[in-house]
Amino acid sequence: MVYLDNAATTPVHPEVIAAIGAAMAEEYGNPSSRHAVGLAAERRLEQARATVAAALGVAPAQLVFTSGGTEANALAVLGVARVRARSRRAGHVLVSSIEHPSVLESARLLAEQGVAVEEIPVTRGGWVDPAEVEARVRSDTGLVAVMHVNNETGVRQPVEEIATRARARSSRCLILVDAVQSFSYLPTELRALGADIVTASAHKIQGPKGVGCLALGARAKLAPLWGGGDQEAGRRAGTENLPGIVGLARAVELARGQGCSTLASCAAALCDELARLLPAARRIGEPGRLSDHIVAIAIAGAPSEVLVNALEERGVCASSGSACHSRRALRSHVLDAMGLPRDRGVVRFSFSRASTVEEARTAARALADAARALGVA
Ligand SMILES: Cc1ncc(COP(=O)(O)O)c(C=O)c1O
């Protein structure tokens, strides 16, 4: 099997598995316990926190571990709103129309509670125009959420310019950048992104599932979503998932050591081979704004699910968009927001640092063969 669905999840790096195993065997203490076993676990937790915090450009005290990217985004959107609600400011929230459902649906929950929520449109090239954000920011805008790299198209968003323009209109609004798909692939330090809150997840970078984090800038204040413990400086109650957190930190270190050079070669091999074998295929997204590890290909005349199934029959795992959509066979809100005609089938290929150029070429050949068999080549 050629696995090119790494934007859904990546295979866990063997050294991450070893680090998690060691943490489970040796650091089994509860980091909140005050005896020697607990203190050893706490030391390990704080070591891991320092590693991950550095990758996001914040002090360790400004990093909150969560159960993944979904919870990190929900905590950001809902936690910031809870702070505002305490001072009886319902306020206004802006979210891009191509955000992950964890942001969009959290914003919808706020709308049900009386917060004015507005969606920012995207261009046909799949990016949020900073001018569109600027035009919508109001004096009571509390949060602007725009992701760094879109999970379905790989299009990079101009988050730094968006943040600058939004703050020029309202100095108090906070900028949330979901960096789940860019973490370790692009610079994601809070300041480089112009963000107040950055979220990330371990399983997209060869780490374990069920662990993620958010990094908070000095202006970002959030209230916890539930009570029951004062872990994570009172921002997220519950005993920390120490093995998972250790795995996240190890994945960060390994990614830093490996760099990203193979990803560009994989993307180029896939696109070159497709240009040769399947000229009808089009890469989605504005050229010049695309990332190397996510390549979305549109083909007229064949539904996405049919293309993905035909690829699987040929030994290639890809997806029809986000993992959350692909089970439900729903039309993607991202492709709709970009105005992509509905007769286009879309296949997303996504690479990890473990992917090879040969796998990319195999995938292109399989797609060309599938398109011919379906009569849409
Ligand atoms: C952009 C983006 N944000 C958030 C998430 C959710 O992360 P997790 O799977 O860790 O909950 C995903 C997962 O696909 C994602 O692609």
Side-chain angles (χ1 to χ4, degrees):
M1 227 0 151
V2 169
Y3 181 79
L4 293 185
D5 195 14
N6 292 282
T9 196
T10 52
V12 183
H13 194 291
E15 289 190 37
V16 170
I17 296 174
I20 292 171
M24 292 187 102
E26 292 153 26
E27 278 127 4
Y28 54 85
N30 186 326
S32 299
S33 300
R34 295 298 85 196
H35 48 61
V37 176
L39 292 174
E42 187 191 28
R43 270 196 301 278
R44 193 72 190 87
L45 175 67
E46 293 314 316
Q47 247 174 24
R49 192 187 305 280
T51 302
V52 180
L56 293 171
V58 296
Q62 296 296 83
L63 191 89
V64 181
F65 288 116
T66 62
S67 66
T70 299
E71 187 194 326
N73 283 334
L75 177 54
V77 174
L78 301 173
V80 164
R82 289 191 82 175
V83 171
R84 288 179 70 85
R86 279 180 190 157
S87 53
R88 301 197 198 295
R89 291 175 295 165
H92 176 234
V93 165
L94 283 171
V95 291
S96 93
S97 52
I98 57 167
E99 292 302 292
H100 186 265
S102 54
V103 170
L104 287 174
E105 285 169 28
S106 297
R108 280 176 203 138
L109 288 177
L110 291 183
E112 285 169 18
Q113 294 160 18
V115 175
V117 174
E118 243 181 289
E119 284 192 15
I120 313 159
V122 285
T123 64
R124 298 186 91 77
W127 53 283
V128 177
D129 184 341
E132 294 281 354
V133 180
E134 191 174 5
R136 285 171 176 75
V137 174
R138 317 189 316 205
S139 59
D140 64 341
T141 304
L143 186 75
V144 175
V146 180
M147 71 206 320
H148 195 195
V149 166
N150 181 265
N151 47 308
E152 296 192 34
T153 62
V155 176
R156 285 193 312 271
Q157 306 299 318
V159 286
E160 201 187 347
E161 190 186 341
I162 286 169
T164 306
R165 293 231 214 164
R167 283 204 194 96
R169 297 264 301 170
S170 166
S171 58
R172 280 200 308 217
C173 80
L174 298 176
I175 313 295
L176 165 63
V177 176
D178 171 348
V180 166
Q181 293 291 350
S182 59
F183 188 43
S184 90
Y185 294 117
L186 295 174
T188 49
E189 290 87 0
L190 190 100
R191 201 166 288 169
L193 297 175
D196 295 290
I197 307 176
V198 179
T199 56
S201 176
H203 72 111
K204 312 292 184 179
I205 62 163
Q206 294 185 266
K209 292 163 189 60
V211 57
C213 60
L214 65 169
L216 302 172
R219 302 185 327 146
K221 303 275 175 282
L222 47 83
L225 301 188
W226 59 80
D230 59 5
Q231 293 89 350
E232 299 302 293
R235 295 164 177 141
R236 198 268 182 186
T239 302
E240 297 87 349
N241 168 9
L242 185 60
I245 290 168
V246 166
L248 165 60
R250 189 72 191 113
V252 167
E253 288 169 349
L254 290 163
R256 196 170 45 217
Q258 281 178 286
C260 297
S261 56
T262 55
L263 300 166
S265 319
C266 289
L270 177 74
C271 293
D272 291 351
E273 199 74 346
L274 279 178
R276 201 167 65 78
L277 299 173
L278 187 57
R282 292 275 171 275
R283 184 166 181 188
I284 293 181
E286 177 123 341
R289 294 186 188 269
L290 297 170
S291 30
D292 291 324
H293 58 301
I294 300 177
V295 178
I297 300 291
I299 298 176
S304 307
E305 298 71 35
V306 172
L307 289 167
V308 169
N309 290 342
L311 276 174
E312 192 179 359
E313 283 162 13
R314 289 163 178 78
V316 176
C317 285
S319 84
S320 57
S322 71
C324 336
H325 286 306
S326 43
R327 283 277 164 93
R328 284 184 273 159
L330 290 177
R331 173 66 181 193
S332 140
H333 68 286
V334 174
L335 302 177
D336 274 351
M338 292 168 67
L340 194 85
R342 288 196 162 204
D343 69 339
R344 305 290 145 88
V346 174
V347 181
R348 179 187 70 180
F349 297 99
S350 46
F351 305 105
S352 78
R353 291 179 175 82
S355 304
T356 65
V357 164
E358 200 37 52
E359 287 178 324
R361 290 208 185 99
T362 304
R365 286 195 291 270
L367 186 60
D369 186 52
R372 265 193 304 278
L374 295 165
V376 294

